[in-house]
Amino acid sequence: MPTITLDLDLAKQVLAAQPFAQLVGTEITAFGDGAATLIIPIRPELRQQFGFVHGGVVSYAADNALTFAAGTVLGANVLTGGFTITYLRPAAGTRLRAEATVTGSTRRQAVVACEIYAESADAEPVLCAVAQGNARSVEREPGPDGS
């Protein structure tokens, strides 16, 4: 199966095809050269009972950002192999920014580091979580239902 090379426009199309990304409101703002950046607007529906962004949303941001970063070196057909996340402080503000960078790769696998920042217009970005994971190339095309 041929490897599909991604650019920012195609990466945006891949993200748009993910129903959960649409539900959360994810946008990809940078993609290429072993790195990717995702932005998620913080809405009330994404918060937990104390008013902070739910850890599952922060974790999703890391998962998807690291897989997109891996896609810059492995091609379009990649899936997360696994990742760990450390929450440093609660996320609050107007948006999350997940910046992921490939730290090493082989022909079929990439190891990626990710930092997740909470941002607001009136303050410096706050590093709220760090993650490390890997993504692997897969030899199949996604189906019409995403499977």
Side-chain angles (χ1 to χ4, degrees), residues 95-121:
R95 70 183 200 170
L96 291 179
R97 176 173 41 95
E99 295 183 350
T101 305
V102 173
T103 58
S105 65
T106 65
R107 190 171 53 83
R108 297 186 48 84
Q109 181 172 256
V111 175
V112 184
C114 184
E115 296 180 338
I116 300 93
Y117 295 88
E119 298 181 325
S120 58

Side-chain angles (χ1 to χ4, degrees), residues 125-139:
V126 174
L127 180 64
C128 57
V130 294
Q132 179 173 305
N134 72 310
R136 302 174 191 169
S137 61
V138 293
E139 295 186 18

Side-chain angles (χ1 to χ4, degrees), residues 9-23:
D9 289 334
L10 187 53
K12 287 180 179 182
Q13 291 176 31
V14 170
L15 184 65
Q18 297 177 359
F20 189 77
Q22 297 308 304
L23 178 70

Side-chain angles (χ1 to χ4, degrees), residues 32-49:
D33 298 324
T37 301
L38 298 180
I39 301 294
I40 299 172
I42 296 174
R43 307 185 323 264
E45 300 86 359
L46 303 181
R47 299 178 189 275
Q48 42 84 302
Q49 70 274 19

Side-chain angles (χ1 to χ4, degrees), residues 32-79:
D33 298 324
T37 301
L38 298 180
I39 301 294
I40 299 172
I42 296 174
R43 307 185 323 264
E45 300 86 359
L46 303 181
R47 299 178 189 275
Q48 42 84 302
Q49 70 274 19
F50 298 112
F52 300 115
V53 177
H54 192 282
V57 176
V58 176
S59 180
Y60 153 76
D63 176 10
N64 223 12
L66 75 85
T67 302
F68 270 99
T72 69
V73 298
L74 298 176
N77 293 335
V78 294
L79 293 174

